[in-house]
Amino acid sequence: MLSAFRTVLRRDLVLAMRRRADFLTIVFFFIIVVSLFPLGVGPEIDTLRTIAPGVVWVAALLASMLSLGRLFYNDYMDGTLEQMVLAPQPLSVIVLGKVLAHWLVSGIPLVLVAPILGLQFDLGGDALLVLVVALFLGTPILSLIGAIGAALTLGLRGGGVLVSLLILPLYIPVLVFGSGAVEATASGIGAQAHLSLLGAGLFLALVFAPWATAAALKISIE
Amino acid sequence: MAKINWFKYSSPASFYPLAGKVVPWFAWLAAILGVVGLYVAFFEAPLKDYQQGQSYKIIFIHVPTAWMSMFIYVVMALWAAAGMVFNTRLSYMMAKALAPTGALFAFLALWTGALWGKPTWGTWWVWDARLTSELILFFLYIGFIALGSAIEDPRRAARACGLLALVGVVNVPIIYFSVLWWSTLHQPPSLKLNEATMGTSMLVGILLVTFSLWFYTIAVALVRVRGEILERERDTSWVAQLIHEGKE
């Protein structure tokens, strides 16, 4: 079971490394969306500081949603996914490996870039740290929940737009607690409650999402 | 006493005529309760709330639609779960048939809430927890309907929608507890079981309208299920016989 998990993880990481352009596009999408806001809202630094957590988080939501298409699609097209469903190992473990690889490739870069973007919005040192921690806890939830949507819409016409309709409402709690953590730090309340809730959400998603994704994959493939 | 085989009615062929028989009953019940409920709302309930004036009568529509929109989502998820456990086609059809009505009620709850909020709070919309979660609920319904119509294979559509309903139902308790989590502008629920915060006639009016909407939902869902059954079973012999006898 563990070896299946490791094999899938390594395979997906290798495949991602062969196509670096794919995830670099996602990172630059994230940077561009965040940079658009000052142009739209205006350069007053006080306004920007207030909206920064929300802007960064919304951009992270959109970026992670955009990258979902690649999670299962290629394997679905060349038939690998079918073999994974037929494999003796539990599908949810394989799914967990794929989701972890997806997060390492598309989630971690967002976490690393976020502090630089936060500096553009004049966030303080503590707020920046909390932003990174919150994104670190929150982006895996996005990948886990998003996997359910990606599996449900596999191979459908207009699947990309549809997945946003299915998944964005489910992302909302992550957005609320994630940006809430940064705001709480900025206003001096302390982010512990928000971060704890994010951590709880991560464990909840870690338990249930791979299982739901596996069920969705079986529905989509048969 | 002979044991009744409840699963007999999980077969579309035997459910179809049963549904046809009970639809008028539910429809009439809904109409009667609706008329009585609105009569109570407009003529029996105290004419003026000293704070809010006549505009408060919107809650006779607003509260029942908000309740029903949440309740229908739970029922939908229960049907989806039943479909997964027993693998019955009819359960998925029920879940699918409930979705448009749920979306309608969620929309009406938001709309009437906005109409009520303008004179009372002085604003059409506030980003309060309960309004926002009702909006999310509306999005969940739209996602459910969109997924169902995007998948062409009816079997896959049914099962995918069922799974989505189960995933989304996690949101319904969040809606309920959100009042306790972040309470901001929205007043806490006006109906509490242990203390009378509103007049008896108001409560009766709201409950009557709620039951009216409930029976309306059952009637409409059954009509939709009948249509769905006919569409999916159009190649079977019992549908052919039905058409042959000229009943439909």
Side-chain angles (χ1 to χ4, degrees), chain A residues 155-200:
Chain A
L156 295 182
R157 268 178 299 113
V161 188
L162 187 61
V163 84
S164 62
L165 210 56
L166 303 185
I167 289 307
L168 283 179
L170 302 176
Y171 277 177
I172 289 172
V174 183
L175 171 68
V176 168
F177 296 126
S179 57
V182 185
E183 272 158 29
T185 314
S187 57
I189 306 169
Q192 205 191 351
H194 289 93
L195 291 178
S196 307
L197 280 168
L198 270 184

Side-chain angles (χ1 to χ4, degrees), chain B:
Chain B
M1 202 180 99
K3 202 169 168 223
I4 305 168
N5 183 8
W6 289 105
F7 282 99
K8 182 187 168 204
Y9 290 108
S10 68
S11 139
S14 50
F15 185 77
Y16 182 83
L18 175 77
K21 266 183 221 137
V22 297
V23 162
W25 289 95
F26 282 115
W28 276 110
L29 264 175
I32 294 165
L33 282 173
V35 169
V36 176
L38 287 180
Y39 176 82
V40 171
F42 282 102
F43 299 103
E44 297 288 320
L47 260 182
K48 269 191 180 175
D49 183 341
Y50 69 100
Q51 283 172 320
Q52 300 177 8
Q54 290 288 6
S55 62
Y56 95 96
K57 299 223 154 158
I58 293 174
I59 71 161
F60 287 102
I61 306 291
H62 175 68
V63 174
T65 48
W67 279 348
M68 286 307 291
S69 65
M70 294 177 211
F71 178 65
I72 290 176
Y73 201 88
V74 177
V75 175
M76 218 168 78
L78 284 177
W79 278 114
M84 288 207 168
V85 174
F86 300 115
N87 207 7
T88 42
R89 280 170 298 165
L90 193 63
S91 313
Y92 290 124
M93 294 188 203
M94 283 302 289
K96 191 184 169 192
L98 284 167
T101 313
L104 172 74
F105 284 157
F107 178 76
L108 283 178
L110 290 168
W111 187 255
T112 52
L115 289 179
W116 182 80
K118 185 64 187 167
T120 316
W121 295 336
T123 169
W124 296 105
W125 180 265
V126 286
W127 286 98
D128 151 80
R130 280 212 294 175
L131 272 81
T132 314
S133 5
E134 185 72 27
L135 186 66
I136 299 169
L137 185 67
F138 179 61
F139 291 155
L140 286 176
Y141 276 120
I142 297 298
F144 182 91
I145 297 171
L147 181 66
S149 51
I151 306 178
E152 271 163 24
D153 171 29
R155 194 177 138 78
R156 182 183 163 190
R159 300 182 54 190
C161 284
L163 189 72
L164 184 68
L166 286 180
V167 171
V169 83
V170 175
N171 193 58
V172 172
I174 296 178
I175 291 175
Y176 188 76
F177 288 108
S178 60
V179 187
L180 309 173
W181 286 357
W182 322 249
S183 61
T184 50
L185 238 178
H186 206 296
Q187 61 189 12
S190 41
L191 196 65
K192 285 177 190 148
L193 287 176
N194 50 0
E195 48 181 300
T197 50
M198 60 164 71
T200 322
S201 52
M202 270 179 77
L203 178 62
V204 169
I206 289 182
L207 286 180
L208 281 172
V209 175
T210 306
F211 279 107
S212 160
L213 292 184
W214 195 346
F215 291 132
Y216 161 81
T217 309
I218 296 175
V220 168
L222 287 179
V223 170
R224 278 203 201 98
V225 165
R226 271 164 64 89
E228 187 81 18
I229 289 176
L230 277 190
E231 194 183 339
R232 291 215 200 151
E233 310 267 306
R234 59 180 177 270
D235 299 326
T236 59
S237 55
W238 70 270
V239 173
Q241 199 185 348
L242 212 64
I243 293 165
H244 184 67
E245 287 167 8
K247 278 187 185 163
E248 299 296 327

Side-chain angles (χ1 to χ4, degrees), chain A residues 10 20 32 39 68 79 90 101 109 141 185 193 222:
Chain A
R10 195 181 307 132
R20 287 188 204 96
I32 289 175
L39 297 173
L68 285 175
I141 310 182
T185 314
E222 70 173 23

Side-chain angles (χ1 to χ4, degrees), chain A residues 98-183:
Chain A
K98 285 187 75 69
V99 171
L100 180 61
H102 174 262
W103 176 67
L104 288 175
V105 169
S106 68
I108 286 284
L110 303 190
V111 179
L112 297 179
V113 172
I116 304 170
L117 296 175
L119 281 178
Q120 287 187 317
F121 284 74
D122 194 34
L123 280 181
D126 282 350
L128 278 180
L129 185 68
V130 171
L131 179 68
V132 171
V133 175
L135 278 170
F136 188 77
L137 288 172
T139 42
I141 310 182
L142 301 182
S143 293
L144 284 163
I145 299 177
I148 306 175
L152 281 174
T153 55
L154 204 54
L156 295 182
R157 268 178 299 113
V161 188
L162 187 61
V163 84
S164 62
L165 210 56
L166 303 185
I167 289 307
L168 283 179
L170 302 176
Y171 277 177
I172 289 172
V174 183
L175 171 68
V176 168
F177 296 126
S179 57
V182 185
E183 272 158 29

